[in-house]
Amino acid sequence: MTDAAGDLRVYAEYDRDFSEEVDAVIVGSGPCGAVVAKELTDAGKRVVLLEEGPPFTPSEYELDGALSMARTMREGGLRATRGTVMPTMQAIALGGGSLVNSAICNRAPDFVLDRWCTDFELEHTTLSDLDPHYDAVGEFLGIAPTPENVQGERNLSFKRGCDALGYSSEPCLRNVRGCRGSGECFTGCRMRAKQSMDISYIPAALRGGARVLTSVRVEEVRADGHRVLGVSGRVVAPFTGRPSHRFRVNARAVVLAAGCMATPVILQKSGNLANRSGQVGENLQFHPGVAIMGVFPDPVHPEFGATQGYQSRHFLRDGFKLETLWAPPAVLAVRMPGSGDAFKRRLAQIPCAAIWDAIASCPRSLGRVRARRRGLDPNLTWHLHRDDVLILAQALWTLAEIFFAAGARSIIPGVHGIPDELHSRSEAEILRTHSLKASDILTGGNHAFCTTRMHGDPSRGVVDENGKCHDYENLWIADTGIFPRCPSVNPMWTGMALAHRLAQTLAERL
Amino acid sequence: MGWIFFSVALGYAVARVVFGYREPESPLTRLTRGEAAFLAAAADATFPSGGALRSSGREARIPAYVDRLLIASHARSRRQMRLLFFLLEHATLFFPAPGLSGFRRFSSLTDEQRVAVLDGWASSRFWQRRLVFGSLRAILTLGYFAHPPVLRALGLAPFALRSPICEADLLYPRIGAHPSSILLTRADLTPPSDGTPISLGAPIDPRYAEDDS
């Protein structure tokens, strides 16, 4: 059917226990794992890529937000942190989060990477060090600015507001080819314009000869002395997770790319592996996000336009980044205040509404990942620091002033203790004068980092700057868990660039 | 004497919690009668009939949607949702709604009492109570918007789109199916999306275009 030299297996094909022998096994088919698989395959290595979720095709995308999350997200999309309660998600699908994210690609700012190097004793992780890897990924995925003709009014009004206030803004760079503005990134791109891993890197890895096994859950990394031997686990049914056959993959190198919330759990369940530093599962950081809905006098037709087409990096040094946002209307409506007739009146305003969000850098807000007694889903604890609440409050105020500068007639901030609807810039001043607590603000955090952080000092980090574990010669980690600190911008491209570098280093050693 | 009083009290409590619910309006797979009654009552309190959007919560068939959501959800999420419904349905047996008849299950309260109870949860100074309310309202809102007439009324129904056939479609069978079920060949590949913007008046997805009022 295809010219793929490799082999992809799905749940229906497993009928017995099995084992494999390869050069490298990669756990997790999200953006980082997929890059490693393709690059190692291109280097002529025998590779197996393992994914717990199934492959999705457009006929299986759910347009309904909740049902989509129930099918494509771990814990049905209802995962949340303890401490400061904040929803967070992790995909379970071939291609990982790239299937259901909005495809925003940003290089980490140079000042962020410089501080990574200074504070974490790294020598080769400046922007100029990573640029060749960003370029390689960018070229393969066609990363480019969102075209003007698919922005739609809800994105362009953001630009107008920023221009009026003198704040810089730009079209989001995205891994998208041929976007038509359907605004369906979060439920899966039916136009196949988004270059998610399942239609880009993974088919390329298959063409190069990789084996891709879906519906397999890695439960243990096996080790002996200072070397790991491979991984083992169970075949699991799609959606129910019901385990059946056992498998084992023996490999000369193991690359964990299961995501910042799952990789530490695998290590903890494998006898607290690679944790002489005591940092596995520690230092959990997020980019907590806040959003405001602005209501304009005329319809903005929010159903049309790139999901997240415009952004402003103007306030990165202040700790936040601004973006436009669209999602299934049901998901957006969830955060609107009120009930009864008043709630319905607000819902009726959605055709005239735009939603913009801010993601904040909160390196003081820390948490941890711990394995549960059963299963591989994590217990997450995280606390939003008081000082970081101030950053979020500043971000909310900035969004409010951009809305009014863009011509909004009201905004709905969704903050407890503040009126449900604010009708002018002066009314919105309350967002920066009112003393907010963490529990007053509705936050969501889907960028997560640092749970297996890189550090030049083996006693203070889990991996080196190439992603190799300090404690093992042939165990590598390639997901956002290795970031030493939050990157201040959307992390996918940085994670992929680091994975690209890891793959090159690993290929030389295999 | 004590044990008789205890038994009677326990029997009364069990009766109040378990019995006295009517048959749901449509057959449900996962929801109990009590859960369906609670959801119908909460749905109508949150989305009363008429006004800016015509459909009420009950007309939007929110209990049926939640039934589907429970089927699609993982066991842990399912337990959490059911606990949420149980808590809110019976909280008024201990913390009554306003009025003389406030010591009743949520689904047995009057419309005004239900709205007052939900407002109390929504505006509580305890964030845990607000969280409980937010979780319930999120589920109800997701159900409301799953009703095609609601999205049509707002002009937000998804567009009808024809997906291009790409290399991945030759690799991945439908979930649960064997690869031998893939009948597509390279000859079936179609050109990728050319980036032509969707026009605002484009037809909507057939699943949302049906007359389902």
Side-chain angles (χ1 to χ4, degrees):
Chain A
M1 286 175 289
T2 71
D3 50 11
D7 175 31
L8 177 124
R9 295 187 78 186
V10 295
Y11 181 70
E13 294 177 272
Y14 302 110
D15 57 1
R16 67 195 70 175
D17 295 351
F18 63 93
S19 64
E20 305 259 347
E21 198 88 32
V22 291
D23 292 326
V25 58
I26 299 152
V27 181
S29 70
C32 301
V35 168
V36 177
K38 189 251 181 197
E39 295 303 324
L40 288 181
T41 305
D42 285 353
K45 309 302 175 190
R46 289 176 305 140
V47 169
V48 164
L49 175 64
L50 306 178
E51 170 55 51
E52 187 175 345
F56 281 79
T57 49
S59 62
E60 285 153 325
Y61 296 162
E62 280 282 353
L63 298 173
D64 176 274
L67 293 175
S68 172
M69 286 196 291
R71 285 164 66 85
T72 59
M73 296 293 178
R74 290 179 183 275
E75 302 179 58
L78 298 179
R79 179 180 286 181
T81 58
R82 297 176 183 177
T84 302
V85 178
M86 179 174 73
T88 181
M89 289 186 235
Q90 185 185 6
I92 178 166
L94 188 69
S98 68
L99 186 78
V100 285
N101 72 7
S102 58
I104 299 179
C105 296
N106 275 293
R107 292 177 200 236
D110 52 0
F111 74 88
V112 167
L113 295 173
D114 288 347
R115 284 204 60 182
W116 284 14
C117 290
T118 310
D119 295 351
F120 298 92
E121 300 177 27
L122 310 174
E123 293 176 354
H124 305 293
T125 307
T126 62
L127 186 56
S128 58
D129 292 320
L130 294 185
D131 267 340
H133 305 289
Y134 278 119
D135 291 343
V137 173
E139 191 174 329
F140 183 81
L141 290 178
I143 293 173
T146 306
E148 175 100 2
N149 64 351
V150 294
Q151 290 284 1
E153 177 59 17
R154 63 181 154 74
N155 288 317
L156 294 175
S157 56
F158 175 81
K159 174 187 170 6
R160 276 202 312 275
C162 287
D163 288 349
L165 294 167
Y167 301 153
S168 64
S169 66
E170 61 278 328
C172 291
L173 296 176
R174 301 182 308 156
N175 52 311
V176 173
R177 290 187 170 108
C179 177
R180 297 188 61 200
S182 65
E184 293 179 357
C185 289
F186 291 136
T187 51
C189 178
R190 284 189 288 161
M191 290 316 301
R192 298 249 146 148
K194 179 168 66 172
Q195 298 299 294
S196 49
M197 299 305 109
D198 57 321
I199 66 167
S200 56
Y201 267 98
I202 293 170
L206 285 164
R207 281 195 298 272
R211 279 171 62 69
V212 178
L213 310 184
T214 63
S215 294
V216 290
R217 176 193 293 155
V218 170
E219 295 176 337
E220 186 185 11
V221 179
R222 292 173 294 106
D224 184 18
H226 286 289
R227 291 187 66 78
V228 292
L229 306 173
V231 300
S232 56
R234 304 284 291 267
V235 171
V236 291
F239 308 127
T240 66
R242 191 177 302 117
S244 56
H245 309 290
R246 295 181 187 278
F247 73 90
R248 172 178 284 224
V249 180
N250 298 321
R252 293 166 60 204
V254 172
V255 181
L256 296 179
C260 159
M261 296 185 242
T263 289
V265 170
I266 293 172
L267 292 172
Q268 289 163 1
K269 292 256 178 183
S270 305
N272 208 16
L273 208 65
N275 196 21
R276 274 199 307 180
S277 65
Q279 298 298 316
V280 169
E282 299 296 320
N283 312 304
L284 174 64
Q285 293 182 26
F286 290 97
H287 283 155
V290 290
I292 288 185
M293 178 180 283
V295 182
F296 288 84
D298 300 310
V300 299
H301 299 290
E303 71 276 18
F304 170 72
T307 303
Q308 295 196 272
Y310 243 87
Q311 64 178 11
S312 170
R313 294 165 53 119
H314 191 94
F315 298 94
L316 284 186
R317 287 179 187 272
D318 297 305
F320 59 94
K321 170 181 175 278
L322 307 174
E323 305 165 336
T324 58
L325 176 67
W326 184 244
V331 176
L332 300 177
V334 159
R335 62 185 316 285
M336 297 178 82
S339 61
D341 288 327
F343 184 41
K344 285 179 83 176
R345 272 197 303 276
R346 291 216 172 86
L347 296 180
Q349 295 177 328
I350 292 180
C352 297
I355 299 202
W356 303 337
D357 73 280
I359 57 170
S361 301
C362 298
R364 288 160 294 211
S365 302
L366 297 172
R368 63 167 52 130
V369 175
R370 286 288 179 272
R372 290 182 190 156
R373 205 151 54 89
R374 294 169 63 184
L376 286 176
D377 288 325
N379 276 330
L380 305 171
T381 310
W382 179 78
H383 296 277
L384 182 57
H385 192 278
R386 275 184 65 88
D387 292 348
D388 291 334
V389 174
L390 298 178
I391 293 179
L392 291 172
Q394 178 65 25
L396 284 167
W397 154 250
T398 308
L399 287 171
E401 66 169 346
I402 297 172
F403 264 120
F404 287 114
R409 66 174 157 82
S410 66
I411 60 166
I412 298 170
V415 177
H416 178 69
I418 280 179
D420 289 345
E421 204 157 349
L422 302 169
H423 297 89
S424 67
R425 190 174 185 277
S426 58
E427 278 186 26
E429 289 274 355
I430 193 173
L431 288 166
R432 60 175 175 181
T433 57
H434 186 79
S435 176
L436 293 176
K437 299 193 297 289
S439 56
D440 293 333
I441 306 174
L442 283 176
T443 55
N446 295 325
H447 304 161
F449 325 97
C450 308
T451 53
T452 52
R453 73 179 183 191
M454 61 169 78
H455 202 297
D457 178 352
S459 70
R460 298 167 70 191
V462 180
V463 299
D464 66 18
E465 60 190 318
N466 287 316
K468 190 187 84 63
C469 285
H470 289 300
D471 299 354
Y472 287 89
E473 294 169 14
N474 59 340
L475 177 60
W476 303 68
I477 300 179
D479 54 47
T480 59
I482 69 171
F483 290 14
R485 184 179 282 153
C486 57
S488 302
V489 294
N490 314 66
M492 180 173 70
W493 200 5
T494 302
M496 296 174 86
L498 289 169
H500 189 266
R501 180 167 75 174
L502 179 156
Q504 287 188 340
T505 312
L506 176 55
E508 286 169 11
R509 296 190 190 181
L510 278 175
Chain B
M1 192 67 185
W3 70 269
I4 294 176
F5 175 76
F6 177 76
S7 302
V8 170
L10 183 66
Y12 176 74
V14 168
R16 292 300 296 264
V17 168
V18 178
F19 299 113
Y21 291 108
R22 275 186 293 180
E23 190 82 25
E25 288 167 11
S26 55
L28 301 168
T29 308
R30 289 273 184 179
L31 288 175
T32 64
R33 283 185 182 195
E35 288 166 342
F38 164 72
L39 283 166
D44 272 354
T46 308
F47 303 103
S49 189
L53 292 165
R54 197 163 53 89
S55 305
S56 70
R58 204 181 295 250
E59 288 162 353
R61 299 171 199 160
I62 288 176
Y65 174 84
V66 177
D67 196 51
R68 292 201 303 277
L69 187 61
L70 284 178
I71 293 167
S73 297
H74 295 231
R76 190 160 178 266
S77 310
R78 220 161 28 227
R79 281 196 298 273
Q80 288 171 338
M81 282 192 263
R82 304 188 96 138
L83 188 62
L84 176 78
F85 304 151
F86 184 86
L87 171 69
L88 282 157
E89 166 73 340
H90 297 102
T92 41
L93 294 178
F94 302 96
F95 305 100
L100 288 174
S101 56
F103 272 113
R104 290 191 294 170
R105 293 184 297 219
F106 183 88
S107 57
S108 301
L109 298 172
T110 64
D111 290 347
E112 293 74 22
Q113 285 174 316
R114 290 172 188 163
V115 170
V117 167
L118 292 182
D119 284 347
W121 286 86
S123 57
S124 171
R125 61 194 175 94
F126 299 109
W127 65 267
Q128 293 89 342
R129 287 191 75 200
R130 299 200 302 273
L131 184 69
V132 166
F133 169 78
S135 304
L136 172 70
R137 218 203 48 182
I139 293 168
L140 299 175
T141 306
L142 291 166
Y144 192 64
F145 275 82
H147 190 52
V150 172
L151 280 181
R152 284 203 303 269
L154 290 170
L156 298 175
F159 295 109
L161 296 174
R162 178 175 293 213
S163 301
I165 299 172
C166 67
E167 181 185 12
D169 296 305
L170 279 54
L171 294 167
Y172 312 144
R174 284 188 66 84
I175 295 170
H178 194 274
S180 58
S181 64
I182 302 174
L183 302 177
L184 298 169
T185 68
R186 294 202 75 82
D188 297 308
L189 296 179
T190 58
S193 169
D194 63 0
T196 305
I198 297 169
S199 65
L200 285 173
I204 61 175
D205 188 278
R207 287 167 283 183
Y208 290 80
E210 293 161 14
D211 183 16
D212 192 16
S213 55

